[in-house]
Amino acid sequence: MLIPVVIFGAWLAFQLSPTIEALCFKGDLRTWMREEFGIGYDQRNTLVVGLAMGFAVIPMIFSIAEDAIFSVPKHLTTGSLALGATPWQTMTKVVLLTASPGIFSAIMIGFGRAVGETMIVLMATGNTAVMDLSIFQGLRTLSANIAVEMPESEVNSTHYRVLFLAALVLFMFTFVVNTLAEVIRQNLRQKYSSL
């Protein structure tokens, strides 16, 4: 039932976009952004990567969080409802708190997937090595930088060693974030295991 709605929405957006662009942005969004704000616009930009990574990561986060929520023991929810709590109170005070270690794990797994992603970033950002703070410009992540430049670097050169240093930085960042996530998850598990 959702597919016709999505198709109709896309068709409607394509039909209305020239009119909206003419009314709101003087006919050309890129020129308007450059004149009004001094912001350049690249077709492959950080905003596109954010949307693409959202589509890549959110289903995994959703499925893991859903499993965590549905693995809350039924006797906890029925007991809460039997003691006079409303369904909303049961959800916020019992179900979400009990499932919070699993939900946090799902978010951290999704974050780790997004940080380590290489090919989506390479294809959607234009592989721009020069970066600025605008979300309408391209970028290159550490993992993409290593993947692109490692075949080109000469063994034992300075460039080769810098790429290994970038890999070490990426590894250390991932290790620290995963360690902190595990500590937080264990604390949540201990805190809410008494429910």
Side-chain angles (χ1 to χ4, degrees):
M1 287 179 21
L2 189 60
I3 292 174
V5 174
V6 170
I7 292 172
F8 176 73
W11 175 82
L12 186 65
F14 279 114
Q15 294 300 315
L16 294 178
S17 63
T19 308
I20 293 172
E21 191 173 37
L23 289 174
C24 298
F25 306 113
K26 299 179 185 174
D28 188 16
L29 177 65
R30 294 179 187 178
T31 307
W32 181 80
M33 284 176 55
R34 192 175 306 112
E35 289 173 358
E36 294 291 323
F37 302 110
I39 298 174
Y41 179 84
D42 189 12
Q43 187 174 1
R44 295 179 179 178
N45 57 46
T46 309
L47 186 63
V48 172
V49 171
L51 292 172
M53 290 307 298
F55 281 117
V57 171
I58 286 175
M60 182 175 51
I61 293 173
F62 177 80
S63 64
I64 295 171
E66 183 184 34
D67 288 343
I69 289 171
F70 284 121
S71 68
V72 172
K74 192 73 174 164
H75 69 274
L76 292 177
T77 58
T78 56
S80 174
L81 292 170
L83 289 172
T86 64
W88 181 256
Q89 290 172 327
T90 301
M91 184 187 71
T92 57
K93 305 281 189 205
V94 176
V95 175
L96 287 180
L97 293 181
T98 306
S100 62
I103 294 170
F104 183 74
S105 296
I107 292 169
M108 292 311 296
I109 287 171
F111 179 71
R113 164 95 195 278
V115 167
E117 185 60 52
T118 303
M119 296 314 296
I120 291 175
V121 175
L122 275 175
M123 291 187 295
T125 62
N127 195 23
T128 305
V130 179
M131 296 181 285
D132 61 10
L133 295 177
S134 174
I135 62 169
F136 300 109
Q137 297 294 324
L139 64 95
R140 184 189 285 179
T141 63
L142 278 177
S143 58
N145 191 46
I146 294 165
V148 167
E149 293 189 14
M150 188 58 83
E152 305 291 326
S153 66
E154 182 181 334
V155 176
N156 291 328
S157 66
T158 305
H159 185 219
Y160 187 78
R161 290 185 180 117
V162 167
L163 290 174
F164 269 94
L165 178 64
L168 179 65
V169 167
L170 184 63
F171 172 75
M172 292 304 295
F173 175 76
T174 306
F175 179 76
V176 168
V177 168
N178 284 338
T179 303
L180 288 175
E182 183 62 23
V183 167
I184 292 170
R185 189 181 70 79
Q186 289 296 336
N187 286 341
L188 287 171
R189 179 174 280 174
Q190 285 178 343
K191 184 176 181 179
Y192 298 120
S193 64
S194 62
L195 288 177

